[in-house]
Amino acid sequence: MASYKLLLLPFMLLFLIPHVLSDIDEEDVLFVGINSYRTSQNLTTLNNNEKAECLADEIADQLKNKPCTNDTGSASLPGTEPQFADYPNILAKCHLSVSDTRDGMIMPACVPFLESSSSLVLTNFTNSKYSLSLNDSKFTGMGIGKEDDWIVVVLTTNTPQGSFSTATRVDSYGFAFAIGFFNYVLVFFLSFCFFLC
């Protein structure tokens, strides 16, 4: 009787593994890569900023239909970066205003076949005009968003003009957390039933 219960344990564990593995993506790899780069430059690591992440997601969404060329993203010349007529609306979606994002930095990069080239993605930030911002000690946080071939890094400061912290806190992972939490509770309940019943 106990042996069949032990055989069910690996199946219950397999139920959890896809949820853990699915959380690793290009954004996470880039986040770790940028912080490793900053550590190698004797700078502090950047904290995750949820509102900067929201803004990065919104900017990436705006860029998704723009093709990658030699003069887009990290290769663009100063003054030729994309401008967004609805920028105030983009900020409002993330509960931000211009006054608390002024000192921040938005860095879009276009990498064809983004999912298969994580080292190239990091290089687009560390070996480009963006490296000046990544080497600046005034930045204390970042958010990363991606859409199609575009990945956007938004850097934040700890000043009122760059903290990205005006309105109430919005948890962009609330729904994913609820689903993940449900899976853990379900596995716990099933384990309880199988091993104690």
Side-chain angles (χ1 to χ4, degrees), residues 131-148:
S131 66
L132 294 174
S133 298
L134 292 178
N135 288 327
D136 194 333
S137 61
K138 78 175 181 180
F139 293 111
T140 58
M142 79 172 138
I144 301 173
K146 69 175 176 63
E147 191 69 43
D148 294 339

Side-chain angles (χ1 to χ4, degrees), residues 74-138:
S74 60
S76 65
L77 298 172
T80 64
E81 294 91 358
Q83 303 294 314
F84 303 102
D86 60 343
Y87 188 65
N89 293 333
I90 294 171
L91 290 175
K93 284 182 183 179
C94 298
H95 306 285
L96 292 167
S97 69
V98 174
S99 63
D100 42 68
T101 59
R102 187 168 289 129
D103 288 348
M105 174 66 76
I106 299 173
M107 304 183 302
C110 190
V111 181
F113 310 109
L114 181 65
E115 287 81 19
S116 61
S117 50
S118 57
S119 63
L120 182 60
V121 172
L122 181 60
T123 302
N124 268 273
F125 291 96
T126 58
N127 293 341
S128 70
K129 66 180 182 177
Y130 295 148
S131 66
L132 294 174
S133 298
L134 292 178
N135 288 327
D136 194 333
S137 61
K138 78 175 181 180

Side-chain angles (χ1 to χ4, degrees), residues 14-15 30 50 53 139 154 171:
L14 286 175
F15 182 71
L30 182 59
E50 290 181 17
E53 187 174 325
F139 293 111
V154 175
D171 184 7

Side-chain angles (χ1 to χ4, degrees), residues 9-179:
L9 185 61
F11 292 109
M12 287 188 281
L13 291 175
L14 286 175
F15 182 71
L16 291 174
I17 289 174
H19 301 289
V20 173
L21 293 179
S22 66
D23 289 342
I24 299 172
D25 62 5
E26 296 82 19
E27 294 165 336
D28 296 332
V29 171
L30 182 59
F31 188 88
V32 170
I34 287 174
N35 276 328
S36 296
Y37 171 79
R38 283 182 57 96
T39 301
S40 73
Q41 303 297 313
N42 295 321
L43 296 165
T44 59
T45 59
L46 300 172
N47 298 315
N48 185 42
N49 184 303
E50 290 181 17
K51 290 189 178 183
E53 187 174 325
C54 175
L55 181 60
D57 282 332
E58 292 296 326
I59 296 292
D61 190 53
Q62 294 285 317
L63 293 169
K64 71 181 173 187
N65 294 322
K66 186 175 173 79
C68 286
T69 64
N70 289 338
D71 60 348
T72 58
S74 60
S76 65
L77 298 172
T80 64
E81 294 91 358
Q83 303 294 314
F84 303 102
D86 60 343
Y87 188 65
N89 293 333
I90 294 171
L91 290 175
K93 284 182 183 179
C94 298
H95 306 285
L96 292 167
S97 69
V98 174
S99 63
D100 42 68
T101 59
R102 187 168 289 129
D103 288 348
M105 174 66 76
I106 299 173
M107 304 183 302
C110 190
V111 181
F113 310 109
L114 181 65
E115 287 81 19
S116 61
S117 50
S118 57
S119 63
L120 182 60
V121 172
L122 181 60
T123 302
N124 268 273
F125 291 96
T126 58
N127 293 341
S128 70
K129 66 180 182 177
Y130 295 148
S131 66
L132 294 174
S133 298
L134 292 178
N135 288 327
D136 194 333
S137 61
K138 78 175 181 180
F139 293 111
T140 58
M142 79 172 138
I144 301 173
K146 69 175 176 63
E147 191 69 43
D148 294 339
D149 290 340
W150 287 91
I151 191 158
V152 178
V153 174
V154 175
L155 298 178
T156 66
T157 68
N158 59 2
T159 65
Q161 295 81 22
S163 64
F164 287 58
S165 61
T166 55
T168 58
R169 186 170 178 225
V170 175
D171 184 7
S172 63
Y173 289 109
F175 183 68
F177 172 75
I179 293 172

